[in-house]
Amino acid sequence: MLGISLITLALAATGLAQAPVGYRTVYITSMVDTKYVVQPKSATSGSTVVVQTLTNMPAQQWYLQPGNSTIQLAGSTLCLDAGPKSNWKDMATIYVKTCSATEVAQQWLVMADGRIALPASSNPRECVDLQYMRATPNNPVGLYNCNGLGNIGAADKGLNWPLLNVTS
Ligand SMILES: *[C@@H]1O[C@H](CO)[C@@H](O)[C@H](O)[C@H]1NC(C)=O
C-alpha cells in the first residue's frame, strides 16, 4: 500500500515528464534516411530543431498521437513550435519552446502518410521538412509546402517522417 502511494506521488511529481493520455513515445525518423531522427539542437526553449543519427537517447524521444497533436520532447516541458505566423513559410526553421496549450504554433496534424502539418497555416499549408533533403548531422528541420516539391505530397521524402516506437 505504502509502495503504491509512493509510486503515485512520484508519477504526480514528474507531471509533464509523462506522455499525455493516448500519446505514443516515438522517434521521428526521416524517410530520406531513417537512421536520422528529429531532435532539438539543445534542450532549451527557443532552440532550433535538427536531425542527428539515432542513438536511442531520451533527447530524441517525443510524445505525440495520430491526428491533431502536440509534439512534446519526452521528459521535458518543451514542444515543437513553428514560431510566429510570419515564420510559417517554405524553408523557415522551427523550434522547441515551452509547451503551451493555447499556442497554435504547437498544434500539429500527424498524418497517416508520414507528413506532419501545421493546420494553422494555409495557402500553402506548411509541413515539417528536412531542409534540402539532407540527412546529415545537424541538418536543420524546417517547414515546406505540404504539397511537396513537384506536387508529390508525402512522396516527397523530405516531408515524410516515419514514427518509430520507443521500446522500454
Ligand atoms: C483536427 O482538428 C480540426 C479542428 O478542430 C478538425 O476539423 C479535424 O477534423 C481534426 N483532424 C483530425 C484528423 O482529427
Side-chain angles (χ1 to χ4, degrees), residues 36-117:
Y36 280 81
V37 298
V38 175
Q39 68 172 80
K41 201 160 190 181
S42 68
T44 51
S45 187
S47 170
T48 56
V49 176
V50 297
V51 288
Q52 298 287 6
T53 51
L54 176 61
T55 55
N56 298 86
M57 299 282 284
Q60 302 182 321
Q61 300 171 1
W62 302 86
Y63 304 143
L64 54 66
Q65 65 178 355
N68 293 304
S69 178
T70 55
I71 301 180
Q72 183 183 342
L73 190 65
S76 84
T77 55
L78 298 172
C79 284
L80 193 66
D81 188 301
K85 192 172 183 181
S86 58
N87 191 60
W88 302 349
K89 58 186 184 201
D90 291 357
M91 306 309 293
T93 50
I94 56 175
Y95 307 92
V96 288
K97 291 188 181 170
T98 302
C99 297
S100 160
T102 56
E103 178 52 76
V104 291
Q106 295 182 5
Q107 300 297 320
W108 302 90
L109 184 63
V110 177
M111 298 165 72
D113 64 14
R115 287 177 295 176
I116 300 173

Side-chain angles (χ1 to χ4, degrees), residues 27-42 47-55 59-60 62 80 94 128-142 157-158 160-162:
Y27 301 105
I28 303 174
T29 75
S30 170
M31 187 63 107
V32 174
D33 181 344
T34 56
K35 290 191 296 296
Y36 280 81
V37 298
V38 175
Q39 68 172 80
K41 201 160 190 181
S42 68
S47 170
T48 56
V49 176
V50 297
V51 288
Q52 298 287 6
T53 51
L54 176 61
T55 55
Q60 302 182 321
W62 302 86
L80 193 66
I94 56 175
V128 176
D129 177 57
L130 181 64
Q131 281 192 1
Y132 301 106
M133 297 223 325
R134 281 201 288 250
T136 53
N138 275 312
N139 194 76
V141 173
K157 290 184 178 180
N160 198 316
W161 303 96

